Coordinates of all heavy atoms in Angstrom, one line a residue:
R140 N -39.7 29.4 18.1 CA -40.7 28.5 18.8 C -40.7 27.1 18.1 O -40.7 26.1 18.7 CB -42.1 29.2 18.7 CG -43.1 28.5 19.4 CD -43.8 29.2 20.5 NE -43.2 30.3 21.3 CZ -43.8 31.4 21.6 NH1 -45.0 31.6 21.2 NH2 -43.2 32.3 22.4
L141 N -40.7 27.2 16.7 CA -40.7 25.9 15.9 C -39.5 25.1 16.2 O -39.6 23.9 16.4 CB -40.8 26.4 14.4 CG -40.9 25.2 13.4 CD1 -42.3 24.6 13.5 CD2 -40.7 25.7 12.0
L142 N -38.3 25.8 16.2 CA -37.1 25.1 16.4 C -37.1 24.4 17.8 O -36.6 23.3 18.0 CB -35.9 26.1 16.4 CG -34.5 25.5 16.2 CD1 -34.4 24.8 14.9 CD2 -33.4 26.5 16.3
G143 N -37.7 25.1 18.8 CA -37.8 24.6 20.1 C -38.6 23.3 20.2 O -38.3 22.4 20.9
T144 N -39.7 23.3 19.5 CA -40.5 22.0 19.5 C -39.9 20.9 18.7 O -40.1 19.8 19.0 CB -42.0 22.3 18.9 OG1 -41.9 23.2 17.8 CG2 -42.9 23.0 19.9
L145 N -39.1 21.3 17.6 CA -38.6 20.2 16.8 C -37.3 19.6 17.4 O -36.9 18.5 17.0 CB -38.2 20.8 15.4 CG -39.4 21.1 14.5 CD1 -39.0 21.7 13.2 CD2 -40.2 19.8 14.2
T146 N -36.6 20.4 18.2 CA -35.3 19.9 18.7 C -35.1 19.9 20.2 O -36.0 20.5 20.9 CB -34.2 20.8 18.1 OG1 -34.3 22.0 18.7 CG2 -34.2 20.9 16.6
E147 N -34.1 19.3 20.7 CA -33.8 19.4 22.1 C -33.0 20.6 22.5 O -32.9 20.9 23.6 CB -33.1 18.1 22.5 CG -34.0 16.9 22.7 CD -34.5 16.3 21.4 OE1 -33.6 16.0 20.6 OE2 -35.7 16.1 21.2
V148 N -32.4 21.2 21.5 CA -31.6 22.4 21.8 C -32.6 23.6 22.1 O -33.3 23.9 21.2 CB -30.6 22.9 20.7 CG1 -29.2 22.6 21.0 CG2 -31.1 22.3 19.4
K149 N -32.4 24.2 23.2 CA -33.3 25.3 23.6 C -32.5 26.6 23.3 O -31.5 26.9 24.0 CB -33.7 25.2 25.0 CG -34.7 24.1 25.3 CD -36.1 24.3 24.8 CE -37.0 23.1 24.8 NZ -37.0 22.3 23.5
I150 N -33.0 27.4 22.3 CA -32.3 28.7 22.1 C -33.3 29.7 22.3 O -34.4 29.8 21.7 CB -31.9 28.7 20.6 CG1 -31.1 27.4 20.2 CG2 -31.0 29.9 20.3 CD1 -30.8 27.3 18.7
P151 N -33.1 30.6 23.3 CA -34.0 31.7 23.5 C -34.2 32.5 22.2 O -33.2 32.7 21.5 CB -33.4 32.6 24.5 CG -32.2 31.8 25.1 CD -31.9 30.8 24.1
F152 N -35.4 33.0 21.9 CA -35.7 33.5 20.6 C -35.0 34.8 20.3 O -34.9 35.2 19.2 CB -37.2 33.5 20.3 CG -37.9 34.7 20.7 CD1 -38.0 35.8 19.9 CD2 -38.4 34.7 22.0 CE1 -38.7 36.9 20.4 CE2 -39.1 35.8 22.5 CZ -39.2 36.9 21.6
D153 N -34.6 35.5 21.3 CA -33.9 36.8 21.0 C -32.4 36.8 21.3 O -31.8 37.7 21.8 CB -34.6 37.9 21.9 CG -35.4 38.8 21.1 OD1 -35.3 38.7 19.8 OD2 -36.3 39.5 21.6
T154 N -31.8 35.7 20.8 CA -30.3 35.6 20.9 C -29.7 35.5 19.6 O -30.2 34.9 18.7 CB -30.0 34.2 21.7 OG1 -30.9 34.1 22.8 CG2 -28.6 34.2 22.1
G155 N -28.6 36.2 19.5 CA -27.8 36.2 18.2 C -26.5 35.4 18.5 O -26.5 34.5 19.4
D156 N -25.4 35.8 17.9 CA -24.2 35.1 18.1 C -23.3 35.9 19.1 O -22.2 35.4 19.4 CB -23.4 34.9 16.8 CG -24.2 34.1 15.9 OD1 -24.6 32.9 16.3 OD2 -24.4 34.5 14.7
F157 N -23.8 37.0 19.5 CA -23.0 37.9 20.5 C -22.9 37.1 21.8 O -23.9 37.0 22.5 CB -23.8 39.2 20.7 CG -23.1 40.2 21.5 CD1 -21.7 40.3 21.6 CD2 -23.9 41.2 22.2 CE1 -21.2 41.2 22.5 CE2 -23.3 42.1 23.0 CZ -21.9 42.2 23.1
R158 N -21.7 36.6 22.1 CA -21.5 35.8 23.3 C -20.0 35.7 23.7 O -19.1 35.8 22.8 CB -22.1 34.4 23.1 CG -21.5 33.7 21.9 CD -22.2 32.4 21.6 NE -23.6 32.7 21.2 CZ -24.7 32.0 21.5 NH1 -24.5 30.9 22.3 NH2 -25.9 32.3 21.1
L159 N -19.8 35.4 25.0 CA -18.4 35.2 25.5 C -18.3 33.7 25.8 O -19.2 33.2 26.4 CB -18.2 36.1 26.7 CG -16.8 36.1 27.3 CD1 -15.7 36.6 26.4 CD2 -16.8 36.9 28.6
M160 N -17.2 33.1 25.4 CA -17.0 31.7 25.6 C -15.7 31.3 26.2 O -14.7 32.0 25.9 CB -17.1 30.9 24.3 CG -18.5 31.0 23.7 SD -18.5 30.2 22.1 CE -17.7 31.4 21.0
Q161 N -15.6 30.3 27.0 CA -14.4 29.7 27.5 C -13.7 28.9 26.4 O -14.4 28.4 25.5 CB -14.6 28.8 28.7 CG -15.1 29.5 29.9 CD -14.0 30.1 30.7 OE1 -12.9 30.4 30.2 NE2 -14.3 30.5 32.0
R162 N -12.4 28.8 26.4 CA -11.7 28.0 25.4 C -12.2 26.6 25.2 O -12.4 26.2 24.0 CB -10.2 28.0 25.9 CG -9.2 27.0 25.2 CD -8.9 27.2 23.7 NE -8.9 28.6 23.1 CZ -8.9 28.8 21.8 NH1 -9.0 27.8 21.0 NH2 -8.9 30.0 21.3
K163 N -12.6 25.9 26.3 CA -13.1 24.5 26.1 C -14.4 24.5 25.2 O -14.6 23.5 24.5 CB -13.4 23.9 27.5 CG -14.3 24.6 28.3 CD -14.3 24.0 29.7 CE -15.0 24.9 30.7 NZ -14.5 24.8 32.0
V164 N -15.2 25.5 25.3 CA -16.4 25.5 24.5 C -16.1 25.8 23.0 O -16.6 25.2 22.1 CB -17.4 26.7 25.0 CG1 -18.7 26.7 24.1 CG2 -17.8 26.4 26.4
V165 N -15.1 26.7 22.8 CA -14.6 27.0 21.4 C -14.1 25.7 20.8 O -14.3 25.3 19.7 CB -13.6 28.1 21.4 CG1 -12.9 28.3 20.0 CG2 -14.1 29.4 21.9
E166 N -13.3 24.9 21.6 CA -12.7 23.7 21.1 C -13.8 22.7 20.8 O -13.7 22.0 19.8 CB -11.8 23.1 22.1 CG -10.5 23.8 22.4 CD -9.6 24.0 21.2 OE1 -9.6 23.2 20.3 OE2 -8.9 25.1 21.2
A167 N -14.9 22.6 21.6 CA -16.0 21.7 21.4 C -16.6 22.1 20.1 O -17.0 21.3 19.2 CB -17.0 21.7 22.6
F168 N -16.9 23.4 19.9 CA -17.5 23.9 18.7 C -16.7 23.5 17.4 O -17.2 23.1 16.4 CB -17.7 25.4 18.8 CG -18.2 26.1 17.5 CD1 -19.5 26.0 17.2 CD2 -17.3 26.7 16.6 CE1 -20.1 26.6 16.0 CE2 -17.8 27.3 15.5 CZ -19.1 27.2 15.2
L169 N -15.4 23.7 17.5 CA -14.5 23.5 16.3 C -14.4 22.0 16.1 O -14.0 21.6 14.9 CB -13.1 24.1 16.5 CG -13.1 25.6 16.5 CD1 -11.7 26.2 16.9 CD2 -13.5 26.2 15.2
A170 N -14.7 21.2 17.0 CA -14.6 19.7 16.8 C -15.8 19.2 16.0 O -15.9 18.1 15.6 CB -14.6 19.0 18.1
M171 N -16.8 20.1 15.7 CA -17.9 19.8 14.9 C -17.8 20.3 13.5 O -17.9 21.5 13.2 CB -19.2 20.4 15.6 CG -19.5 19.9 17.0 SD -20.5 21.1 17.9 CE -22.1 20.7 17.4
P172 N -17.5 19.3 12.6 CA -17.1 19.8 11.2 C -18.3 20.1 10.3 O -18.1 20.3 9.1 CB -16.3 18.6 10.7 CG -16.9 17.4 11.5 CD -17.4 17.9 12.7
E173 N -19.5 20.0 10.9 CA -20.7 20.0 10.0 C -20.8 21.3 9.1 O -20.3 22.4 9.5 CB -22.0 19.8 10.8 CG -22.3 20.9 11.7 CD -23.4 20.5 12.7 OE1 -23.1 19.7 13.6 OE2 -24.5 21.1 12.6
N174 N -21.5 21.1 8.0 CA -21.7 22.2 7.1 C -23.0 21.9 6.4 O -23.2 20.8 5.9 CB -20.6 22.2 6.0 CG -20.6 23.4 5.1 OD1 -21.2 24.4 5.4 ND2 -20.1 23.2 3.9
P175 N -24.0 22.8 6.3 CA -24.0 24.2 6.8 C -24.0 24.2 8.4 O -24.3 23.3 9.0 CB -25.3 24.7 6.3 CG -26.0 23.7 5.5 CD -25.2 22.4 5.7
R176 N -23.6 25.4 8.8 CA -23.4 25.7 10.3 C -24.4 26.6 10.8 O -24.7 27.7 10.2 CB -22.0 26.1 10.6 CG -20.9 25.1 10.2 CD -19.6 25.7 10.3 NE -18.9 25.6 11.6 CZ -18.5 24.5 12.1 NH1 -18.7 23.4 11.5 NH2 -18.0 24.4 13.3
F177 N -25.0 26.3 12.0 CA -25.9 27.2 12.7 C -25.2 27.5 14.0 O -25.5 26.7 15.0 CB -27.2 26.6 12.8 CG -28.3 27.5 13.4 CD1 -28.5 28.8 13.0 CD2 -29.0 27.0 14.5 CE1 -29.5 29.5 13.6 CE2 -30.0 27.8 15.1 CZ -30.2 29.1 14.6
T178 N -24.4 28.5 14.1 CA -23.5 28.7 15.2 C -24.2 28.7 16.6 O -23.8 28.0 17.5 CB -22.7 30.0 15.0 OG1 -22.1 30.0 13.7 CG2 -21.6 30.1 16.0
R179 N -25.2 29.6 16.7 CA -25.8 29.7 18.0 C -26.4 28.4 18.5 O -26.3 28.0 19.7 CB -26.8 30.8 18.0 CG -28.0 30.7 17.2 CD -28.7 32.0 16.9 NE -27.9 32.8 15.9 CZ -28.5 33.7 15.1 NH1 -29.7 34.0 15.3 NH2 -27.7 34.3 14.2
G180 N -26.9 27.6 17.6 CA -27.5 26.3 17.9 C -26.4 25.3 18.3 O -26.6 24.5 19.2
M181 N -25.3 25.3 17.5 CA -24.3 24.3 17.8 C -23.6 24.6 19.2 O -23.3 23.7 19.9 CB -23.2 24.4 16.7 CG -23.7 23.9 15.4 SD -22.7 24.3 14.0 CE -21.2 23.5 14.3
I182 N -23.5 25.9 19.5 CA -22.9 26.2 20.8 C -23.9 25.8 21.9 O -23.5 25.3 22.9 CB -22.5 27.7 20.9 CG1 -21.4 27.9 19.9 CG2 -22.1 28.1 22.3 CD1 -21.0 29.4 19.7
A183 N -25.2 26.1 21.7 CA -26.2 25.6 22.7 C -26.1 24.1 22.9 O -26.2 23.6 24.0 CB -27.6 26.1 22.3
W184 N -25.9 23.4 21.7 CA -25.9 21.9 21.8 C -24.7 21.4 22.5 O -24.8 20.3 23.1 CB -25.8 21.4 20.3 CG -25.9 20.0 20.2 CD1 -27.1 19.2 20.1 CD2 -24.8 19.1 20.1 NE1 -26.7 17.9 20.0 CE2 -25.4 17.7 20.0 CE3 -23.4 19.2 20.1 CZ2 -24.6 16.6 19.9 CZ3 -22.6 18.1 20.0 CH2 -23.2 16.8 19.9
T185 N -23.5 22.1 22.6 CA -22.4 21.6 23.3 C -22.6 21.4 24.8 O -21.9 20.6 25.4 CB -21.1 22.5 23.1 OG1 -21.4 23.8 23.7 CG2 -20.7 22.6 21.6
G186 N -23.6 22.1 25.3 CA -23.8 21.9 26.8 C -23.0 22.9 27.5 O -23.0 24.1 27.3
F187 N -22.3 22.5 28.5 CA -21.5 23.3 29.5 C -22.5 24.2 30.3 O -23.7 24.1 30.1 CB -20.4 24.1 28.7 CG -19.4 23.3 28.1 CD1 -19.5 23.0 26.7 CD2 -18.4 22.7 28.8 CE1 -18.5 22.1 26.1 CE2 -17.4 21.9 28.2 CZ -17.5 21.7 26.8
R188 N -21.9 25.1 31.0 CA -22.7 26.0 31.8 C -22.9 27.3 31.1 O -22.0 28.1 30.9 CB -22.0 26.3 33.1 CG -22.9 26.1 34.3 CD -22.3 26.3 35.6 NE -21.4 25.2 36.1 CZ -20.5 25.4 37.1 NH1 -20.3 26.5 37.6 NH2 -19.8 24.3 37.5
Q189 N -24.2 27.5 30.6 CA -24.5 28.7 29.7 C -25.5 29.6 30.5 O -26.5 29.1 30.9 CB -25.1 28.2 28.4 CG -24.3 27.0 27.8 CD -24.3 27.1 26.2 OE1 -24.9 27.9 25.6 NE2 -23.6 26.1 25.6
V190 N -25.1 30.8 30.5 CA -26.0 31.8 31.2 C -26.2 33.0 30.3 O -25.5 33.2 29.3 CB -25.4 32.3 32.5 CG1 -25.2 31.2 33.5 CG2 -24.1 33.0 32.3
S191 N -27.3 33.6 30.5 CA -27.8 34.8 29.6 C -27.5 36.1 30.3 O -27.5 36.2 31.5 CB -29.2 34.6 29.2 OG -30.0 34.6 30.3
I192 N -27.4 37.1 29.5 CA -27.4 38.5 30.0 C -28.2 39.3 29.1 O -28.2 39.2 27.9 CB -25.9 39.0 30.0 CG1 -25.8 40.3 30.6 CG2 -25.2 38.9 28.6 CD1 -24.3 40.8 30.9
L193 N -29.0 40.2 29.7 CA -30.0 41.0 28.9 C -29.3 42.3 28.4 O -28.4 42.8 29.1 CB -31.2 41.4 29.7 CG -32.2 40.3 29.9 CD1 -33.3 40.8 30.9 CD2 -32.9 39.9 28.6
Y194 N -29.6 42.7 27.2 CA -29.1 44.0 26.7 C -30.0 44.6 25.7 O -30.9 44.0 25.1 CB -27.7 43.8 26.1 CG -27.7 43.2 24.7 CD1 -27.2 44.0 23.6 CD2 -28.0 41.9 24.4 CE1 -27.1 43.5 22.3 CE2 -28.0 41.4 23.1 CZ -27.5 42.2 22.1 OH -27.5 41.7 20.8
D195 N -29.8 45.9 25.5 CA -30.6 46.6 24.4 C -29.8 46.6 23.2 O -28.7 47.1 23.1 CB -30.9 48.0 24.9 CG -31.7 48.1 26.1 OD1 -32.8 47.5 26.1 OD2 -31.3 48.7 27.2
R196 N -30.3 46.1 22.1 CA -29.7 46.0 20.8 C -29.9 47.4 20.1 O -31.0 47.8 19.9 CB -30.2 44.9 20.0 CG -29.4 44.7 18.7 CD -29.7 43.3 18.2 NE -29.4 43.1 16.8 CZ -28.3 42.5 16.3 NH1 -27.4 42.1 17.2 NH2 -28.1 42.3 15.1
D197 N -28.7 47.9 19.7 CA -28.8 49.3 19.0 C -29.1 49.1 17.5 O -29.1 48.0 17.0 CB -27.5 50.0 19.2 CG -27.2 50.4 20.7 OD1 -28.3 50.7 21.3 OD2 -26.1 50.4 21.1
E198 N -29.3 50.3 16.9 CA -29.3 50.3 15.4 C -28.0 50.1 14.9 O -27.0 50.4 15.5 CB -30.0 51.5 15.0 CG -31.5 51.5 15.1 CD -32.1 52.8 14.5 OE1 -31.9 53.1 13.3 OE2 -32.7 53.6 15.3

Side-chain angles (χ1 to χ4, degrees):
R140 188 120 330 139
L141 183 70
L142 196 66
T144 40
L145 287 177
T146 68
E147 278 75 53
V148 253
K149 292 284 168 269
I150 310 168
F152 84 92
D153 252 344
T154 313
D156 296 309
F157 185 28
R158 58 192 61 218
L159 182 65
M160 295 177 281
Q161 293 279 18
R162 166 64 35 194
K163 56 190 164 203
V164 180
V165 176
E166 294 300 332
F168 172 80
L169 291 175
M171 298 158 81
E173 69 193 67
N174 186 24
R176 297 170 88 73
F177 181 55
T178 309
R179 65 199 77 157
M181 289 165 66
I182 293 172
W184 184 87
T185 60
F187 298 98
R188 230 181 278 166
Q189 312 213 1
V190 298
S191 62
I192 183 169
L193 282 174
Y194 79 113
D195 296 303
R196 187 161 159 101
D197 292 327
E198 279 184 61

